[in-house]
Amino acid sequence: MIPVCRLEDLPEGESVRVDITPPVAVFHAEDGVLYAIDDTCTHQDASLSEGWLEGCLVECPLHAASFDLRTGLPTCLPARRPVRTHRVTVDDGVVHVHVAAEEGTAA
């Protein structure tokens, strides 16, 4: 569990990058739900936290690939591979991300 920021410091419609390896992006969707995915687009190295958030989708700022924040699946080309999703919780007003284990590693 990694503390990210205070909930009040992450307005709806905004995102924040967590500088861990690999980096994670936490999004506060306009419906109030928090999502976390790997921050790097699977098409090319671009930070998804710098992309455009619309509903449950984030559009990569480099080539307009789009990912569903709920599943990590790409919704259009040029991305073909999904990004990992991570669980987000809020405890005492602090947003925490629970980083999922990488494929092939123990949880």
Side-chain angles (χ1 to χ4, degrees):
M1 180 167 73
I2 299 167
V4 176
C5 64
R6 296 206 48 82
L7 181 59
E8 64 198 32
D9 296 332
L10 184 58
E12 288 183 9
E14 298 292 322
S15 64
V16 64
R17 177 184 164 111
V18 182
D19 287 318
I20 58 175
T21 303
V24 169
V26 178
F27 296 88
H28 194 171
E30 293 171 359
D31 63 2
V33 178
L34 295 164
Y35 298 98
I37 60 173
D38 282 352
D39 186 49
T40 306
C41 179
T42 58
H43 168 250
Q44 200 166 19
D45 286 343
S47 174
L48 295 173
S49 65
E50 296 176 8
W52 296 274
L53 182 61
E54 186 172 327
C56 292
L57 302 178
V58 62
E59 182 180 308
C60 176
L62 193 57
H63 292 116
S66 182
F67 295 89
D68 188 317
L69 297 173
R70 299 165 296 188
T71 64
L73 294 171
T75 60
C76 65
L77 295 173
R80 295 172 189 246
R81 291 180 293 122
V83 292
R84 287 185 310 157
T85 60
H86 309 282
R87 189 166 62 95
V88 181
T89 58
V90 178
D91 186 33
D92 285 332
V94 177
V95 177
H96 293 87
V97 66
H98 303 259
V99 179
E102 292 202 44
E103 279 188 39
T105 63

